[in-house]
């Protein structure tokens, strides 16, 4: 990376080689910024020019493929313009309407900022519920967690260690679409791929597990992030 330059790669540190794919069009690449989280760098998505990254190797986690697969997604981010409506930070949706994502059978997971500047996790449930958190503040560090239990169809949403919402009828989409996008949503049609719901955020880390982490393991990951990015204390994550 070059300071203030375009991102040319974002490598997976888990050892599973699930590196992010960078757009071939240079204008669609987010930007590497130094000293965003204290002395630590981040990737800036400006909410313009279709800036995004594509994940690889993790698409099967978020669809109902008949296996008993849980997941936990943890995002370390800092929003820059929370007033912009409906920003998709991480998700596998293929839709032109963020507000309608809870109604489609093929919809799976979207984590971001809703129209009221709140952290939100969207998906399909029989009641149309979405998992909402607190109103966010510009240039403030957050750890957002989506923790899904397949067997109990339960989605828990944590923000900075605190449990913000629990949806107990979360339904996994039955269509395997594509790998989650970082920084926006997309839809594919006759006219090709269209990007929408762009995010205005700095992202330091995205951690994805193919399990629903226990309270203890959530605490371990949170403490790792707090220590790495020199953040203040946060509540100990509790599942209920």
């Amino acid at each position: 990376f070059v300071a203030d330059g375009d991102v040319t790669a974002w490598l997976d540190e888990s050892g599973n080689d699930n590196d992010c794919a960078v757009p071939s069009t240079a204008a669609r690449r987010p930007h590497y910024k130094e000293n965003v989280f204290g002395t630590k760098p981040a990737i800036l998505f400006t909410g313009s020019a279709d800036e995004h990254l594509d994940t690889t190797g993790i698409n099967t986690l978020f669809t109902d493929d008949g296996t008993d697969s849980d997941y936990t997604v943890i995002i370390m981010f800092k929003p820059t313009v929370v007033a912009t409506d409906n920003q998709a930070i991480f998700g596998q949706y293929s839709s032109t309407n963020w507000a309608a994502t809870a109604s489609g059978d093929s919809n799976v997971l979207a984590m971001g900022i809703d129209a009221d500047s709140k952290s939100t996790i969207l998906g399909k449930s029989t009641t149309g519920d979405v998992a909402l958190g607190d109103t966010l503040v510009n240039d403030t560090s957050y750890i957002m967690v989506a923790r899904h239990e397949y067997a109990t169809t339960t989605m828990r949403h944590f923000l900075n260690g605190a449990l913000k919402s629990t949806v107990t009828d979360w339904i996994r989409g039955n269509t395997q679409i594509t790998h989650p996008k970082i920084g926006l949503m997309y839809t594919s049609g006759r006219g090709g791929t269209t990007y929408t719901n762009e995010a205005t955020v700095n992202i330091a880390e995205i951690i994805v597990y193919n399990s629903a982490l226990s309270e203890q393991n959530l605490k371990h990951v949170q403490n790792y992030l707090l220590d790495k990015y020199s953040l203040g204390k946060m509540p100990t994550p509790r599942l209920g």
Side-chain angles (χ1 to χ4, degrees), residues 14-191:
S14 71
N16 295 314
D17 298 323
N18 296 325
D19 304 332
C20 285
V22 177
S24 57
T25 302
R28 290 178 172 172
R29 298 171 185 165
H31 316 284
Y32 177 79
K33 297 290 184 180
E34 295 183 333
N35 304 316
V36 175
F37 294 85
T39 60
K40 296 291 189 296
I43 295 177
L44 170 65
F45 297 79
T46 66
S48 62
D50 298 334
E51 293 175 1
H52 69 281
L53 293 172
D54 294 294
T55 62
T56 62
I58 60 174
N59 61 320
T60 57
L61 285 178
F62 308 104
T63 54
D64 187 356
D65 57 3
T67 62
D68 190 7
S69 174
D70 302 334
Y71 63 78
T72 305
V73 180
I74 302 168
I75 303 176
M76 177 80 197
F77 73 101
K78 182 181 289 189
T80 58
V81 188
V82 296
T84 300
D85 289 349
N86 303 328
Q87 302 178 44
I89 297 175
F90 177 94
Q92 199 183 19
Y93 278 111
S94 179
S95 174
T96 57
N97 186 353
W98 169 283
T101 51
S103 62
D105 215 17
S106 62
N107 290 330
V108 274
L109 173 69
M111 302 172 67
I113 304 171
D114 81 343
D116 296 319
S117 303
K118 293 182 178 181
S119 65
T120 186
I121 297 173
L122 299 178
K124 179 177 170 56
S125 72
T126 57
T127 57
D129 290 337
V130 296
L132 288 174
D134 290 345
T135 301
L136 304 180
V137 178
N138 289 342
D139 302 316
T140 302
S141 300
Y142 295 99
I143 300 173
M144 180 161 58
V145 176
R147 180 189 180 276
H148 178 257
E149 298 175 3
Y150 183 89
T152 62
T153 65
T154 301
M155 172 66 76
R156 287 181 171 86
H157 175 197
F158 295 85
L159 188 69
N160 285 1
L163 178 62
K164 294 302 175 182
S165 55
T166 302
V167 179
T168 57
D169 59 352
W170 195 274
I171 301 174
R172 297 269 289 269
N174 61 9
T175 301
Q176 189 174 131
I177 306 172
T178 187
H179 294 283
K181 295 280 190 294
I182 300 172
L184 45 64
M185 288 167 51
Y186 75 99
T187 182
S188 297
R190 291 184 178 180

Side-chain angles (χ1 to χ4, degrees), residues 72 74 143 145 147 158 161 207 209-225 235-239:
T72 305
I74 302 168
I143 300 173
V145 176
R147 180 189 180 276
F158 295 85
I207 305 172
Y209 292 94
N210 60 348
S211 63
L213 295 187
S214 65
E215 287 183 353
Q216 188 64 29
N217 286 336
L218 279 173
K219 178 181 177 181
H220 287 328
V221 177
Q222 177 176 286
N223 287 344
Y224 151 76
L225 292 171
T236 298
R238 302 293 185 192
L239 298 183

